Amino acid sequence: MKKILFIAVMSAGTTFMAVAQKLPASKVPDAVRKSFAKEHPGVTAKWENENGQFEAGYKDAGKTMSILYKADGSMTESEVAIKVSALPAPVLIYVKEHYKGFAIKEGAKITKADGTINYEAEVNKMDVLFDGSGRFIKESKD
């Protein structure tokens, strides 16, 4: 029984690590590091591997931000932390109606490479994603 529990715990840990794994800058492809350095000269990033893409987490002008890149250095999306009160009103209403008893812990504005805007609200250890006008898209566990 202990062996089964140990295997289950190890499997869960491995699955979690496959989703987002911290990386030293030396393990990030040159094209990705060069793209980031060109866009943000002099800024130091903390790197993670997120489902085969490379996420640069950093602070700029006091704001927490991140950019997601493909291995070839092309940006797929950027994210900036925003105040919960800055989320669109339909997001706040949706969360109040569908997550009764839970508050939004963090908010973010996501900009896709094609300019599409999404919003993210962290509620009850889940990321709840909305389109640019505040319509619900999906939720996912952290």
Side-chain angles (χ1 to χ4, degrees):
M1 185 65 166
K2 288 181 182 179
K3 190 182 257 185
I4 292 172
L5 180 61
F6 176 76
I7 291 170
V9 169
M10 293 305 292
S11 295
T14 303
T15 301
F16 173 74
M17 291 183 71
V19 173
Q21 185 177 25
K22 293 185 190 290
L23 286 177
S26 62
K27 298 285 183 183
V28 176
D30 285 341
V32 173
R33 285 186 284 127
K34 287 178 183 174
S35 289
F36 180 80
K38 183 178 179 182
E39 295 168 18
H40 304 282
V43 175
T44 302
K46 292 183 180 178
W47 293 97
E48 290 185 6
N49 183 326
E50 188 170 308
N51 297 321
Q53 294 190 47
F54 300 89
E55 181 178 32
Y58 61 102
K59 289 202 181 243
D60 189 13
K63 293 184 178 186
T64 301
M65 305 179 83
S66 66
I67 299 180
L68 197 60
Y69 294 96
K70 293 180 185 176
D72 66 3
S74 60
M75 188 269 288
T76 59
E77 68 180 38
S78 64
E79 183 175 316
V80 60
I82 61 174
K83 292 181 180 183
V84 170
S85 60
L87 290 166
V91 170
L92 302 174
I93 292 167
Y94 183 93
V95 169
K96 187 175 183 179
E97 291 175 357
H98 291 86
Y99 299 91
K100 290 181 178 12
F102 295 100
I104 299 173
K105 185 177 175 183
E106 295 178 356
K109 180 179 180 183
I110 300 167
T111 305
K112 302 285 185 178
D114 67 3
T116 302
I117 303 290
N118 290 138
Y119 291 95
E120 184 178 82
E122 184 182 324
V123 182
N124 191 25
K125 299 183 182 176
M126 288 185 286
D127 292 330
V128 186
L129 193 64
F130 300 86
D131 69 12
S133 60
R135 284 186 294 251
F136 173 80
I137 297 174
K138 68 177 183 175
E139 67 179 33
S140 61
K141 295 276 185 189
D142 279 347

